[in-house]
Amino acid sequence: EHLINEFFEITRFNLQSIILEKDSIPLNYMLMQVADEFYPLLTPRGQKAIVHIDGDITIYADGNKLARVFNNILKNAMAYSDPNSTIEISAKNENNETLISFSNTGKTIPPEKLKMIFEKFYRLDNARSTQTGGAGLGLAISNEIVQAHGGTITATSSNEKTVFTVMIPGNS
C-alpha cells in the first residue's frame, strides 16, 4: 500500500506542478523534530542524529513537503550509515540561500551511481527489498519538491562520507 501511494504521488507530481503552501518555518525546530522522530529507528543500530545550527534560521517554504524531503534523506542516511555512527544535520544561510546538509559515514557511493540516485525507481543497492528499502522514489520525490521551491538537492560521496545538501533560495 505504501509503495502504491508513493507511485501515485510521483505520477501526480509529474502530471501537475506541485502546489506549495508556504509559510515562515523555524528551521532549527523543524530539523530537531525530524531528528527526534528518527530516534527510535536509529537507537537499535547505535546510531544517532545531531543537529548543528548557528543561531535561528527561518525559511519561507512548505513545511509539510520539506519535512518529507528531510525524512527521505534521513531514512537513506540511516540505512546506509555504519552502525554506531552519527548522522550530522546542519544548516546555514549563505548568499541569500539556506543550505541544509545531512552527513553520514558509511560505504562510499561510486560516482557513476551518485549521478542516478535522484532518478525515479533507482535503488543504490539492488539487494535491498521493498521490505528493507523503498521503491527508489523517495529521492526522486524529494528532488521534485526541492525544485518546486526553486532550490536544488545534491549529493557528494568520498572517503566513506556521504553528504546530501538541500538549497532553498531566500524569499522564494
Side-chain angles (χ1 to χ4, degrees):
E1 184 179 330
H2 173 72
L3 188 60
I4 290 169
N5 288 337
E6 210 170 51
F7 177 73
F8 282 135
E9 187 162 1
I10 194 77
T11 303
R12 191 168 56 247
F13 285 164
N14 282 336
L15 297 176
Q16 67 188 36
S17 59
I18 298 172
I19 297 168
L20 300 176
E21 296 177 24
K22 292 184 174 184
D23 202 356
S24 291
I25 309 292
L27 188 60
N28 306 48
Y29 296 114
M30 181 182 194
L31 292 174
M32 284 189 270
Q33 182 178 346
V34 168
D36 287 346
E37 287 172 2
F38 272 80
Y39 179 81
L41 301 171
L42 294 164
T43 305
R45 293 190 67 211
Q47 297 169 318
K48 58 185 173 181
I50 296 179
V51 178
H52 300 288
I53 299 179
D54 294 331
D56 289 333
I57 297 177
T58 301
I59 59 173
Y60 189 66
D62 185 320
N64 289 330
K65 290 192 176 64
L66 270 190
R68 172 119 192 223
V69 171
F70 300 152
N71 279 326
N72 284 338
I73 294 171
L74 195 49
K75 191 184 298 179
N76 281 318
M78 180 184 76
Y80 292 104
S81 288
D82 291 331
N84 305 310
S85 64
T86 299
I87 299 165
E88 294 187 23
I89 305 168
S90 62
K92 64 181 177 179
N93 283 326
E94 194 174 275
N95 301 325
N96 200 34
E97 299 174 342
T98 301
L99 301 171
I100 305 111
S101 296
F102 295 76
S103 174
N104 67 278
T105 55
K107 190 175 174 187
T108 300
I109 303 170
E112 66 278 5
K113 291 187 175 188
L114 200 58
K115 295 175 190 173
M116 300 186 295
I117 60 175
F118 297 107
E119 293 179 10
K120 293 177 208 74
F121 306 112
Y122 185 78
R123 292 201 331 216
L124 187 61
D125 183 356
N126 290 329
R128 291 179 73 206
S129 67
T130 52
Q131 300 298 318
T132 57
L137 292 171
L139 291 177
I141 291 170
S142 297
N143 192 30
E144 301 262 348
I145 292 169
V146 172
Q147 286 181 4
H149 281 85
T152 59
I153 182 171
T154 57
T156 60
S157 188
S158 61
N159 301 321
E160 296 185 356
K161 182 176 182 177
T162 299
V163 180
F164 280 82
T165 303
V166 174
M167 183 282 291
I168 301 294
N171 307 318
S172 59

